[in-house]
Amino acid sequence: MVKDFYRPLYYWPVLLAGVLVTGLMLINDAFSMILIAIVITLLLQPAVRFLTKSGIPRVASVLLVVSGIAVIFTVGMIHMAVIIPELVKTTQMLPEIINQSIQLVSTWLSPVGISTESMTFFTLIDNLPLKTILSGVASFFSGMLGATLKLFLLVFFMLYEYPLAVNWCIRTSRKYPDCGRTLERCIHQIVLYFGIRTLMGIIGGGIVWGTLHSYHLNYAFEWAILAFLLNYVPIVGAFISTVPPLVQCFIFSGVGDALAILLIFTVATILMGCLVEPLLVGRQLSIPLTVQMLSLILWPVLFGTTGVLLAIPLTLMLMSIFSIWKSGCC
């Protein structure tokens, strides 16, 4: 009887995981930044190791890598600041073009007794609070710059002290061999996962650039970069990245070309984002498709945007924790 009473204590990791998740939800922003910094550190470590093996001191290698990423980010932000006014001027043409399209559709439908109130729709679009939206975007970017500076500093310190973490892992591996192997496998799987996403992003960005370039649309390279970056957001990122070029094509090339590009983007997104990539991730990382889908549903509920970006890595970490616990290391 007493033994059965204390038996639930055997499942203390479940209780501990619940308390841990609750605590992390309360400090969501700080946890998100730390988690993203850890992932970036793992991805940049090979470049730092290459420079270190070339004879460059570690502090200088870390500084070069982080500075290079910071320069790329700064150039991208400056470029976005230059083209945003042009995009705003382009979007100002959208209400009139939509109004003309609705009037054209109205002339087609009026013989069968169907009428459309184009002016009501025109007034609705024309009265959109563009200034409020733009000011919100500006404040978002200013806040993001501050957070990015903190993130770069955190990544710099983590990269510099990475050998200390490696030494700790080596000592852990000697004391608990199963624990060390599981941790090493988890790190390898996380790096491999982002390698797969990067490859899919390059292919997706190439498809976007080639399609828009063949239709002679401006900003083809910028939309390709956007598609590449949003590919790190599973499933929905690829669909979101298709909206701006479709609007641009609708404005300058008409409905026919926009529908053709929509068809191309939809087929490519479904094939790559919903079939090829999940199957590839499942095969390379031994994660069932159902677990991948559950990860994309549950982690965003707990950690918001960070949960979307890092759903699979968080699942890999959780699987590693349970594997370590099951092996008896803790």
Side-chain angles (χ1 to χ4, degrees):
M1 183 70 178
V2 176
K3 182 178 180 180
D4 293 336
F5 177 77
Y6 285 103
R7 191 177 184 84
L9 295 180
Y10 178 74
Y11 301 100
W12 66 266
V14 177
L15 179 62
L16 181 61
V19 174
L20 182 62
V21 168
T22 303
L24 292 177
M25 289 176 64
L26 297 177
I27 55 170
N28 193 4
D29 293 339
F31 171 71
S32 299
M33 180 174 293
I34 294 172
L35 193 58
I36 292 174
I38 291 174
V39 172
I40 294 177
T41 300
L42 293 177
L43 296 177
L44 296 182
Q45 170 57 26
V48 174
R49 183 172 62 246
F50 174 78
L51 294 176
T52 304
K53 288 183 177 180
S54 301
I56 302 176
R58 182 167 188 84
V59 62
S61 301
V62 173
L63 187 60
L64 284 174
V65 172
V66 176
S67 299
I69 300 298
V71 167
I72 294 174
F73 176 80
T74 304
V75 171
M77 295 295 294
I78 293 175
H79 184 67
M80 288 298 297
V82 171
I83 69 171
I84 281 178
E86 300 179 10
L87 295 177
V88 171
K89 293 180 181 179
T90 301
T91 55
Q92 291 175 350
M93 302 169 57
L94 185 60
E96 183 179 355
I97 294 174
I98 292 179
N99 185 55
Q100 293 175 356
S101 301
I102 292 178
Q103 288 178 348
L104 179 60
V105 173
S106 180
T107 59
W108 293 345
L109 298 179
S110 57
V112 295
I114 302 176
S115 62
T116 56
E117 296 292 338
S118 61
M119 290 307 298
T120 302
F121 191 71
F122 175 79
T123 305
L124 176 63
I125 296 180
D126 194 39
N127 292 332
L128 283 176
L130 291 177
K131 292 183 179 179
T132 304
I133 294 174
L134 291 177
S135 62
V137 171
S139 61
F140 169 76
F141 276 108
S142 62
M144 189 179 68
L145 287 175
T148 304
L149 179 59
K150 297 177 184 178
L151 182 63
F152 278 137
L153 288 175
L154 187 57
V155 170
F156 177 84
F157 294 136
M158 284 185 174
L159 280 173
Y160 179 70
E161 296 179 344
Y162 186 84
L164 298 179
V166 172
N167 292 333
W168 178 83
C169 291
I170 292 175
R171 291 195 301 269
T172 303
S173 300
R174 291 172 180 172
K175 190 174 182 180
Y176 304 104
D178 294 336
C179 204
R181 284 192 295 268
T182 302
L183 182 61
E184 183 179 357
R185 183 173 66 252
C186 178
I187 294 175
H188 173 73
Q189 287 178 328
I190 292 175
V191 174
L192 180 59
Y193 168 74
F194 281 102
I196 293 173
R197 295 215 70 90
T198 301
L199 177 61
M200 294 293 104
I202 293 174
I203 296 175
I207 292 174
V208 170
W209 179 85
T211 303
L212 299 180
H213 184 71
S214 63
Y215 280 89
H216 306 288
L217 291 173
N218 295 329
Y219 311 121
F221 180 74
E222 286 78 7
W223 299 139
I225 296 296
L226 179 66
F228 169 75
L229 294 176
L230 288 180
N231 183 72
Y232 288 100
V233 181
I235 300 178
V236 296
F239 286 101
I240 295 174
S241 66
T242 62
V243 175
L246 283 175
V247 173
Q248 180 189 5
C249 184
F250 176 74
I251 293 175
F252 293 105
S253 301
V255 179
D257 289 347
L259 290 177
I261 292 179
L262 175 62
L263 178 62
I264 295 173
F265 286 172
T266 302
V267 172
T269 301
I270 292 176
L271 287 178
M272 294 179 56
C274 301
L275 292 177
V276 176
E277 186 172 321
L279 291 174
L280 187 60
V281 169
R283 175 173 296 182
Q284 295 296 324
L285 304 181
S286 300
I287 301 181
L289 297 178
T290 304
V291 175
Q292 295 184 45
M293 198 63 208
L294 290 175
S295 301
L296 297 174
I297 294 174
L298 296 178
W299 289 115
V301 174
L302 297 176
F303 302 118
T305 305
T306 304
V308 177
L309 295 173
L310 302 178
I312 301 300
L314 285 171
T315 301
L316 291 172
M317 293 179 185
L318 190 62
M319 292 170 62
S320 298
I321 291 174
F322 278 103
S323 178
I324 291 173
W325 168 68
K326 187 177 179 181
S327 65
C329 293
C330 47

